[in-house]
Amino acid sequence: MGRAEAGSTKAISNKLKSKGLTRLRWYCQVCEKACRDANAFKMHCMSESHVRNMVIVGENSKAFIQDYSDTLMKDFIGLLKTAHGEKQVNANHFYQEYIANKDHVHMNATKWNSLTEFVKYLGRESICRVEDTEKGLLISWIDNSPKHSGGRRP
Ligand SMILES: [Zn+2]
């Protein structure tokens, strides 16, 4: 089996590495460690502690990805709700607000490959109202709490 199956240690490792080399710079979500540059990141990936963590993650990879995804969702929606209520905001701008918190979950550790994918998921699940405009994706939180009776959810 040469191919990295989704959710396997190799797939996660590849995912972390490929994303790490681009926008997310040299951050290892598994170890929650930021590296200075490509070389440091490479050294980190070969380090005993990282390899040990990857084995643990590999044994529970689906659970880890799900856990990161749940945390991202909870934090993202929580902030959207407190900061903007049901007001419509630009998803990209809001994401900048979200990642300003240095403890944020990095998108590369979740089941979503990009912010766009994540936002579209929120739309599909009726968690947010999502509008695709020429200015980018606009989102607004949907208040599903019981006091808004006749809500969208059972
Ligand atoms: Zn690591």
Side-chain angles (χ1 to χ4, degrees):
M1 284 212 275
R3 233 179 97 252
E5 274 175 60
S8 70
T9 312
K10 201 172 167 210
I12 296 172
S13 170
N14 287 345
K15 200 174 172 192
L16 289 174
K17 276 183 207 156
S18 63
K19 290 295 181 83
L21 287 168
T22 55
R23 325 216 288 280
L24 291 148
R25 310 307 286 167
W26 328 111
Y27 186 84
C28 177
Q29 179 78 64
V30 172
C31 305
E32 297 187 352
K33 183 179 165 59
C35 300
R36 191 170 76 251
D37 54 29
N39 199 42
F41 187 73
K42 203 170 136 199
M43 292 299 290
H44 167 74
C45 288
M46 292 189 297
S47 72
E48 202 186 311
S49 65
H50 176 83
V51 170
R52 204 184 315 123
N53 282 339
M54 286 309 285
V55 169
I56 297 168
V57 169
E59 284 165 356
N60 311 280
S61 58
K62 292 223 170 77
F64 270 82
I65 291 177
Q66 192 55 48
D67 195 45
Y68 287 135
S69 305
D70 291 347
T71 307
L72 172 76
M73 170 93 86
K74 194 168 117 277
D75 293 353
F76 190 92
I77 298 301
L79 181 64
L80 182 64
K81 182 175 155 183
T82 46
H84 302 286
E86 293 178 88
K87 215 172 94 226
Q88 191 175 54
V89 290
N90 181 299
N92 244 315
H93 294 174
F94 177 69
Y95 187 64
Q96 300 306 313
E97 279 177 50
Y98 168 71
I99 63 175
N101 172 1
K102 67 174 174 46
D103 292 327
H104 73 270
V105 173
H106 289 238
M107 197 63 80
N108 65 356
T110 69
K111 59 186 174 187
W112 302 286
N113 288 312
S114 64
L115 176 63
T116 306
E117 208 180 287
F118 174 58
V119 166
K120 296 210 158 149
Y121 172 86
L122 295 177
R124 273 201 312 276
E125 296 291 307
S126 303
I127 296 163
C128 287
R129 218 164 268 123
V130 178
E131 247 183 85
D132 204 345
T133 73
E134 58 201 17
K135 286 184 202 149
L137 290 168
L138 303 178
I139 52 169
S140 49
W141 174 63
I142 299 170
D143 190 347
N144 280 317
S145 60
K147 67 182 165 66
H148 285 236
S149 56
R152 310 160 69 89
R153 291 194 166 183

